[in-house]
Amino acid sequence: MITISLCMIVKNEEDSLARCLDTIKDLVDEINIIDTGSTDKTVEIAKQYTDRIFFFEWIDDFSAARNFAFTKATQEYILHLDADDFLLDIDRERLRILKQTLDPSVDSVTMKYHIAFDEFDNPIMSFRRNRLVKRVNNFQWYGPVHEYLMVWGKIIDGDVAISHKKTHPQEGYSTRNLRIYEKRLERGEEFTIRDIYYYGNELRDHGQYVKAIEYYVKMLDSKQGWIEDEINACLKIADCYRALGNKDKDKEMEYAIRAFAYDIPRAEACCRIALIFFEKEQYLKAIFWYDLATKLEKPNTWGFFTEACWTWLPEIQLCVCYNRLEENEKAYEHNEKFGAYRPNDPKYLFNKKLIGRLLDKA
């Protein structure tokens, strides 16, 4: 059985740190907490779980802090988590089995990262990260913000998922990352293609849509981006044009369609195109694109996926479209498919009753 060092960088995490550590403390052999300047009770809480607490002066560089954290590990493998991360019971058991059965020749295990949830606690956005890595390989983190871990060798996709949820979701987006990027620009630093994309994300998240489009287009025009980032850049440009009130939807449609140029069709793009037609009350066109979304097989990549587009969203929209066209047998059928994903959703229950009456099925 392998041994695991948990490495975390934290700052002012008194509301979430215990939740994280309670779900992982018995599954790792060592807990390393690296504090980057907490002024709350974070360090006091950490001391309840470990005496391996270290301090790192914050220099606006996440990769520097994470690389420092990795130097404190002493076990065979390193697991990295953030304070807002935690494991569900099913994933605790999966990690327990992984620890007992992992072939020690493996250099890295990727795990799904669920970063957003619906009102029923189903994950609605996820992607993969290198999460458990062999310590002796001395893998390094790169990038001051939205950092990434460079790995090589034997890499396997694990079935463990890490869940990420803020304890105070109403806080919204922090300006920290945006400030780091802007300071780098002020210093005249040259951005990598990855920086350009993620700076665009920060601009979009903070409502600077015109400037965000500029940086997304710059990344796309370079033709050097990761395919998954290029696809998402197209869809995020479409988001920006929607937010700017692009009434004729031409630009929103243009970039939703452009997403198909990089890889096999994605359900997110299909649903975006369908929505544009739906809002124009062009229901047959909307049906075509929603139906296509239901027929796609999710590619096995590390990219971001909006889970709703690959599961229930096109089904409820097909229900509505067919209802508007007074084809209620089909509307009922798709509502049932919607309900298979979300059986307690009030929309499913309402539609079942309403359309059932129209079809004498109530």
Side-chain angles (χ1 to χ4, degrees):
M1 181 167 64
I2 65 164
T3 59
I4 300 175
S5 292
L6 173 65
C7 290
M8 300 177 64
I9 59 171
V10 299
K11 182 178 180 180
N12 293 336
E13 304 286 3
E14 64 179 8
D15 292 332
S16 58
L17 183 58
R19 179 188 65 177
C20 173
L21 293 176
D22 282 341
T23 67
I24 194 68
K25 62 184 180 181
D26 59 322
L27 299 173
V28 296
D29 302 278
E30 175 182 271
I31 297 176
N32 299 290
I33 303 294
I34 287 72
D35 188 82
T36 62
S38 293
T39 56
D40 63 2
K41 296 181 180 179
T42 295
V43 174
E44 295 175 38
I45 293 169
K47 287 179 179 178
Q48 299 173 23
Y49 296 86
T50 181
D51 60 357
R52 296 184 61 79
I53 298 173
F54 307 92
F55 298 91
F56 181 83
E57 182 179 357
W58 182 244
I59 55 173
D60 282 348
D61 190 328
F62 278 93
S63 61
R66 293 199 189 276
N67 285 329
F68 175 80
F70 272 27
T71 67
K72 301 305 177 183
T74 65
Q75 303 299 304
E76 293 172 280
Y77 283 82
I78 301 173
L79 175 72
H80 64 92
L81 295 176
D82 291 334
D84 287 337
D85 297 339
F86 60 96
L87 276 74
L88 299 174
D89 287 343
I90 188 172
D91 293 304
R92 281 174 42 79
E93 183 58 27
R94 287 168 176 165
L95 180 57
R96 191 185 311 278
I97 294 170
L98 177 68
K99 183 178 180 181
Q100 294 170 348
T101 60
L102 184 65
D103 180 344
S105 69
V106 170
D107 296 291
S108 175
V109 180
T110 75
M111 299 181 186
K112 281 189 176 180
Y113 197 25
H114 298 316
I115 60 172
F117 299 82
D118 64 17
E119 66 272 32
F120 303 108
D121 279 335
N122 298 311
I124 57 175
M125 183 167 288
S126 62
F127 62 102
R128 280 195 174 272
R129 298 186 77 174
N130 287 295
R131 182 66 71 173
L132 183 71
V133 297
K134 188 177 289 186
R135 180 180 60 84
V136 295
N137 288 344
N138 193 31
F139 294 136
Q140 295 291 296
W141 291 88
Y142 294 90
V145 62
H146 291 295
E147 66 284 5
Y148 66 96
L149 183 61
M150 179 70 78
V151 304
W152 59 84
K154 186 175 181 179
I155 303 170
I156 65 170
D157 292 338
D159 61 356
V160 182
I162 306 298
S163 297
H164 176 90
K165 189 182 295 185
K166 291 182 179 295
T167 51
H168 297 293
Q170 70 277 10
E171 290 175 356
Y173 291 105
S174 165
T175 60
R176 176 198 59 202
N177 292 347
L178 185 62
R179 291 197 305 269
I180 292 174
Y181 278 124
E182 291 178 343
K183 286 179 182 178
R184 294 177 63 198
L185 285 174
E186 289 171 6
R187 293 194 296 266
E189 290 188 27
E190 184 175 350
F191 278 9
T192 66
I193 295 302
R194 193 173 189 275
D195 286 330
I196 291 170
Y197 171 68
Y198 277 99
Y199 182 43
N201 286 347
E202 293 295 332
L203 292 166
R204 168 183 168 271
D205 290 342
H206 289 87
Q208 299 184 41
Y209 301 117
V210 173
K211 194 172 181 181
I213 291 170
E214 174 189 342
Y215 275 84
Y216 287 137
V217 170
K218 185 175 181 180
M219 188 273 279
L220 291 173
D221 287 348
S222 75
K223 302 186 187 302
Q224 297 176 18
W226 181 37
I227 285 176
E228 299 300 324
D229 287 346
E230 291 175 320
I231 292 170
N232 280 295
C234 291
L235 297 175
K236 289 177 179 181
I237 291 173
D239 287 343
C240 290
Y241 278 115
R242 172 170 285 262
L244 289 168
N246 175 39
K247 294 181 180 179
D248 64 5
K249 306 295 182 184
D250 286 350
K251 284 292 185 180
E252 184 180 358
M253 179 70 83
E254 174 186 335
Y255 279 94
I257 292 173
R258 183 170 173 177
F260 296 132
Y262 299 95
D263 200 7
I264 61 176
R266 301 297 168 84
E268 291 87 350
C270 293
C271 287
R272 170 52 60 92
I273 295 169
L275 178 61
I276 295 171
F277 286 126
F278 179 85
E279 291 174 337
K280 293 179 179 180
E281 299 184 1
Q282 297 179 12
Y283 299 120
L284 289 176
K285 293 179 181 179
I287 285 170
F288 173 86
W289 289 102
Y290 282 129
D291 183 63
L292 178 57
T294 69
K295 293 184 167 89
L296 297 176
E297 183 176 345
K298 187 191 296 184
N300 183 25
T301 76
W302 289 18
F304 286 79
F305 291 101
T306 302
E307 299 295 333
C309 295
W310 296 88
T311 54
W312 60 265
L313 179 60
E315 299 294 357
I316 181 61
Q317 289 298 97
L318 284 165
C319 168
V320 175
C321 287
Y322 279 118
N323 176 253
R324 299 278 175 87
L325 294 172
E326 298 184 354
E327 296 186 39
N328 286 310
E329 287 283 358
K330 290 182 179 179
Y332 191 89
E333 174 189 339
H334 286 286
N335 189 59
E336 288 301 299
K337 292 179 180 179
F338 167 56
Y341 291 111
R342 293 163 64 94
N344 298 316
D345 192 308
K347 292 188 290 294
Y348 163 66
L349 299 173
F350 176 82
N351 290 340
K352 184 178 180 69
K353 185 176 182 179
L354 174 66
I355 302 172
R357 283 176 179 171
L358 295 174
L359 296 171
D360 294 327
K361 291 185 178 182

